[in-house]
Amino acid sequence: MDTVTLEKEVVEAFECIKNGKNFILEGGAGSGKTYSLISLINTLIEELPDIKIICITYTNNAVAEILSRIENENIWVSTIHELIWNLIRKYQNEIKGVLVELINDEEEKIFKKPKDFYEGLICKDYFNNLYVDYDEYYSMTPNHENKIKISHDHILVIAEKIFKKYKKIADILKDSADCIFIDEYQDTSPLVADILLKHLEQSNKTNVIGFFGDSMQSIYDSGVGNLNKYSLTKIVKTQNRRNPRVVIELANKFREDGIIQEPSVDINAPNMENGAIIEGDIKFLYGNGNVNFNFINIKQKSVFKSWDFSDEKQSKELRLTHKYNAEMAGFKELYDLYNSDLIITLINKIKEKVDKGKLDSTKTLGELSLAVKPTYKKVDLLNQIRENEVYQSIYSILEDMTWEEVCEKCRVTKESLMSYKLNGMSGRYEANSYRDRILRRLDILEEVIELYLANKFNNFLRMTNFSIHNRYDKIHIKQAIDYVMVEGNQTIEDVLKLAEEKGLLKEDELFDAYILNKGFYLWERIKKITFSQYRKSILYLKEFSPICTQHSVKGSEYDNVLLVLDSNWNKYDFNTLFGKGSVNYDVQQRTKKLFYVCITRAKKNLVIYMPTNDSDILKKAKDLFGNENVMDISLVE
């Protein structure tokens, strides 16, 4: 092993593996943790050709990145859900036994009983001749293949119980790998930490578990955050290869774990120029008024003179929620359907009372609506629906339906719109995708358009019903593509109908059945929305938009970052960064970590805008950013 060319952190990790010690490699933003992980794997392959390694990542995109930089048949790279399911799926009896325990556990709320077991305990005999499968949706009702389904939300809960209860499965996992590495460990479920660091310990076989990540970047509530309660050898990586000096110094002020980042000593690091660290520039802009007030004019200010907001890879505007972004990016109506639809709001309010036994579930929706008399934003909800032309005709159809039929046909999953497929043309969605069948149909059409525009005609023809025999066929293809791409008023229904007629989309019987049943209401609403709104949502979700949420930016980097501090969500309060606002410790920590992630995306320039004139906040801002960098937006030319 050539220790001269290896990072010292990689050498330390290699020594831990030789000595059979579990370890954690912790480093701040831009420190190159994934680079160290890949370097360690390649070193192990070179030194120990027969070594078996499992590498767990948070997303399928990360899997693809690591696989593209490693070539060895003894390496298994996957998401945790894919790995766990591959390990346990053949042990159907064990899965069913644990499933029975969890369904019968009154404190375990996510495992619902089958419809025919609303009362009494479910027993293992119920699952005889049934196969437990892993899918996007949880269903204890057997399908035509005699399969029941556990979902993304359930698999880790089941797996943790199985590894705790059955030592043989822990042995099998240890047999599968000499080393198990976890990238971005802070986002991994605490259940995974228990499986790897508690339940594997009951096995007599030895292997090494290595974690790579940064507890300061644990911005998801479902993640383990830190591993302080476990006895792990800690390796700290202090270099920063991404950020300019001023951003590194600012970010260090928000860390509380003793890690103080320093500019990289590598003269070839991205944040080095002519052998020296890039200085960079930071500004804190403040002012009165609503955060969205005249914001287009704000971006015309001199501090943004060199920024190109039309180049989404160069400059990015980061906001807390999707709601404002959707309006700015041009798909507000589509966003509102999934997040604030009035009829779905009415149904949810009725459901709360039906579930508590306060309303008769044999009544029609119209009868139940009159009984509840709900309000939305302090206004009579039923009147809002009847006076809005978007909802009038649909409600007139629904109000005579029985409550059971309404529950079956009126389903809109809030998470669906943002669960876009991120794996290119692979046809696979992330394991936790809630993408509904209508959006997936549109996604297929979007892929067909992309293939055509990229001149990948063989793949295009395989995905469609087109066949080319002469030049007229080529003309017909172009006409069809031109129609669906025009940013006009054609609706989603218009475009899908034409795409099917012209052969851009193959027939899908499951889609047809979906819009008549579970997707009935969703289809009635979405079909009237313009197709251009769907396409704009895709550009936004692919980050081909100059605006994105502060959460989705994690792992990315841009020359210029504009961060808008808008505290309109009870889980975050940006005032706490400046010693004011919420006294809730969790809110303070959550806000600080999100802020840290956002500011460390900047490779050159960082501008923070906060709609405030609070003197205490401004005093603290001057301490953090420097007096000369805190500016009243109204005085900036």
Side-chain angles (χ1 to χ4, degrees):
M1 179 175 65
D2 185 0
T3 57
V4 176
T5 59
L6 288 177
E7 297 175 315
K8 67 181 182 64
E9 296 87 4
V10 174
V11 175
E12 289 178 46
F14 188 86
E15 289 300 312
C16 284
I17 293 167
K18 282 172 56 179
N19 296 320
K21 293 182 179 179
N22 296 336
F23 67 91
I24 178 171
L25 191 152
E26 186 100 16
S31 61
K33 295 179 291 294
T34 302
Y35 174 84
S36 297
L37 169 60
I38 292 169
S39 178
L40 177 61
I41 291 174
N42 283 326
T43 301
L44 289 167
I45 292 169
E46 183 179 336
E47 295 292 314
L48 306 165
D50 295 327
I51 193 170
K52 293 180 291 185
I53 300 172
I54 289 176
C55 183
I56 298 169
T57 68
Y58 193 62
T59 66
N60 287 321
N61 276 355
V63 171
E65 179 188 352
I66 292 174
L67 284 174
S68 70
R69 295 158 70 178
I70 295 172
E71 292 184 11
N72 189 285
E73 61 184 15
N74 288 335
I75 309 299
W76 183 1
V77 186
S78 77
T79 63
I80 184 60
H81 291 79
E82 180 184 357
L83 169 70
I84 291 295
W85 184 242
N86 274 315
L87 287 169
I88 70 172
R89 63 182 177 182
K90 67 181 76 171
Y91 303 104
Q92 288 287 311
N93 285 333
E94 288 79 1
I95 292 174
K96 292 172 186 177
V98 167
L99 193 53
V100 166
E101 292 177 20
L102 291 167
I103 290 174
N104 288 326
D105 187 344
E106 294 298 327
E107 295 182 4
E108 188 56 71
K109 301 297 184 183
I110 67 171
F111 290 89
K112 296 180 181 178
K113 292 181 180 179
K115 289 183 178 179
D116 48 351
F117 270 89
Y118 282 125
E119 295 182 6
L121 297 178
I122 186 172
C123 64
K124 195 172 179 181
D125 291 343
Y126 175 82
F127 293 110
N128 284 345
N129 303 317
L130 294 180
Y131 180 84
V132 182
D133 205 359
Y134 169 41
D135 197 16
E136 291 173 49
Y137 300 101
Y138 176 77
S139 175
M140 286 295 102
T141 303
N143 63 14
H144 65 283
E145 296 178 313
N146 277 337
K147 288 183 179 180
I148 55 176
K149 298 175 181 179
I150 57 174
S151 77
H152 177 86
D153 293 330
H154 306 95
I155 190 168
L156 294 183
V157 178
I158 291 172
E160 192 272 335
K161 299 287 186 188
I162 286 176
F163 277 95
K164 182 178 182 180
K165 193 171 183 179
Y166 301 103
K167 177 177 175 294
K168 66 177 182 181
I169 298 182
D171 289 339
I172 290 168
L173 176 52
K174 281 199 168 184
D175 276 341
S176 301
D178 301 301
C179 298
I180 300 176
F181 299 140
I182 300 89
D183 195 20
E184 300 290 353
Y185 80 82
Q186 70 277 359
D187 295 327
T188 301
S189 166
L191 296 169
V192 175
D194 283 346
I195 289 171
L196 297 177
L197 296 175
K198 285 173 61 176
H199 305 331
L200 290 195
E201 289 300 311
Q202 62 186 327
S203 171
N204 296 324
K205 301 181 181 183
T206 59
N207 65 357
V208 173
I209 315 293
F211 295 88
F212 297 73
D214 180 12
S215 60
M216 193 64 193
Q217 296 185 65
S218 57
I219 60 175
Y220 303 110
D221 290 343
S222 59
V224 69
N226 64 66
L227 297 169
N228 295 339
K229 69 177 183 178
Y230 298 102
S231 299
L232 301 172
T233 299
K234 191 164 186 177
I235 302 168
V236 177
K237 194 171 189 183
T238 58
Q239 70 167 328
N240 184 305
R241 300 172 54 84
R242 176 196 298 150
N243 303 127
R245 183 185 301 281
V246 289
V247 172
I248 293 174
E249 291 174 353
L250 176 65
N252 281 338
K253 295 175 183 179
F254 289 90
R255 294 198 73 105
E256 299 174 339
D257 56 2
I259 294 180
I260 302 298
Q261 283 197 292
E262 301 169 347
S264 172
V265 295
D266 181 2
I267 61 172
N268 296 313
N271 58 357
M272 302 291 283
E273 198 170 81
N274 299 322
I277 180 75
I278 295 172
E279 189 64 24
D281 185 65
I282 56 173
K283 292 286 186 290
F284 181 92
L285 307 181
Y286 66 91
N288 270 333
N290 186 287
V291 71
N292 300 329
F293 175 72
N294 210 19
F295 205 76
I296 294 176
N297 289 342
I298 288 177
K299 287 193 282 189
Q300 307 301 316
K301 299 286 186 178
S302 58
V303 291
F304 302 111
K305 185 177 180 181
S306 64
W307 295 31
D308 183 2
F309 282 101
S310 66
D311 183 351
E312 73 284 344
K313 294 182 180 179
Q314 189 228 48
S315 304
K316 211 70 165 181
E317 176 186 341
L318 310 183
R319 290 176 172 268
L320 185 57
T321 65
H322 289 296
K323 184 176 181 179
Y324 175 76
N325 294 352
E327 184 173 358
M328 294 295 291
F331 62 100
K332 181 181 185 300
E333 190 179 356
L334 185 62
Y335 179 85
D336 287 345
L337 165 59
Y338 282 91
N339 291 271
S340 55
D341 182 87
L342 294 184
I343 290 180
I344 295 300
T345 300
L346 171 66
I347 290 170
N348 288 337
K349 287 180 178 290
I350 293 172
K351 187 176 186 302
E352 290 176 10
K353 295 188 179 294
V354 170
D355 289 348
K356 293 177 181 178
K358 295 182 178 180
L359 289 176
D360 184 354
S361 62
T362 64
K363 302 286 187 181
T364 65
L365 176 63
E367 292 169 331
L368 291 169
S369 299
L370 292 172
V372 173
K373 295 182 180 179
T375 60
Y376 179 66
K377 295 183 177 178
K378 299 182 179 180
V379 180
D380 185 287
L381 183 54
L382 201 53
N383 281 345
Q384 290 183 69
I385 291 170
R386 286 172 170 166
E387 294 172 2
N388 189 316
E389 62 181 33
V390 171
Y391 299 103
Q392 287 172 352
S393 60
I394 304 176
Y395 183 74
S396 66
I397 297 172
L398 297 177
E399 64 180 336
D400 293 327
M401 288 185 182
T402 64
W403 177 245
E404 183 178 358
E405 191 176 4
V406 167
C407 290
E408 177 64 22
K409 292 195 169 188
C410 301
R411 302 183 182 186
V412 176
T413 303
K414 182 178 180 180
E415 295 84 2
S416 182
L417 184 62
M418 297 303 163
S419 292
Y420 178 66
K421 176 173 52 181
L422 297 176
N423 286 335
M425 304 299 173
S426 68
R428 295 178 59 194
Y429 289 75
E430 297 291 354
N432 61 341
S433 174
Y434 292 92
R435 201 76 165 164
D436 61 61
R437 193 169 288 280
I438 295 173
L439 290 175
R440 291 191 181 211
R441 185 88 167 140
L442 293 167
D443 294 345
I444 293 171
L445 179 57
E446 179 69 15
E447 288 191 10
V448 166
I449 294 170
E450 290 180 8
L451 288 170
Y452 178 84
L453 295 178
N455 295 322
K456 296 179 179 179
F457 295 116
N458 288 334
N459 290 335
F460 170 84
L461 293 172
R462 276 195 292 270
M463 283 194 69
T464 67
N465 279 331
F466 262 112
S467 58
I468 299 178
H469 302 289
N470 52 54
R471 70 185 185 90
Y472 296 106
D473 292 331
K474 293 182 179 180
I475 293 172
H476 291 153
I477 292 176
K478 187 177 185 306
Q479 288 175 340
I481 294 291
D482 287 345
Y483 176 82
V484 300
M485 284 188 60
V486 171
E487 193 172 313
N489 293 322
Q490 57 267 51
T491 65
I492 285 173
E493 182 181 30
D494 294 334
V495 169
L496 284 181
K497 183 177 179 181
L498 179 117
E500 291 164 4
E501 289 175 353
K502 298 295 185 181
L504 290 177
L505 285 175
K506 293 180 180 180
E507 184 179 351
D508 184 353
E509 293 181 1
L510 291 176
F511 173 79
D512 296 337
Y514 177 78
I515 63 175
L516 290 174
N517 297 288
K518 293 181 180 180
F520 172 80
Y521 179 75
L522 181 59
W523 175 244
E524 289 299 311
R525 284 280 285 110
I526 201 172
K527 70 182 184 181
K528 297 176 183 177
I529 296 174
T530 59
F531 182 68
S532 64
Q533 285 204 39
Y534 161 77
R535 296 209 75 208
K536 287 173 181 176
S537 76
I538 296 304
L539 290 175
Y540 172 74
L541 292 167
K542 286 183 173 179
E543 296 189 16
F544 293 157
S545 165
I547 306 170
C548 69
T549 65
Q550 293 162 8
H551 285 81
S552 66
V553 79
K554 188 168 178 283
S556 302
E557 54 186 40
Y558 310 95
D559 286 347
N560 311 306
V561 170
L562 165 60
L563 174 58
V564 181
L565 302 187
D566 179 14
S567 296
N568 65 352
W569 190 1
N570 59 8
K571 293 178 70 174
Y572 298 91
D573 184 355
F574 290 114
N575 292 316
T576 63
L577 299 170
F578 307 93
K580 302 199 77 173
S582 175
V583 296
N584 183 291
Y585 178 78
D586 290 338
V587 170
Q588 294 173 7
Q589 291 300 303
R590 193 183 294 120
T591 303
K592 183 182 294 186
K593 290 177 179 180
L594 184 60
F595 180 78
Y596 176 86
V597 166
C598 289
I599 64 175
T600 53
R601 302 308 101 193
K603 296 195 292 182
K604 292 182 180 178
N605 303 304
L606 171 67
V607 174
I608 294 169
Y609 172 64
M610 190 172 187
T612 184
N613 262 334
D614 186 292
S615 58
D616 292 332
I617 289 177
L618 297 181
K619 183 176 183 300
K620 181 65 174 178
K622 290 174 182 177
D623 292 339
L624 291 169
F625 295 88
N627 189 66
E628 70 283 4
N629 293 319
V630 178
M631 309 166 70
D632 185 336
I633 188 66
S634 65
L635 301 179
V636 178
E637 295 183 357

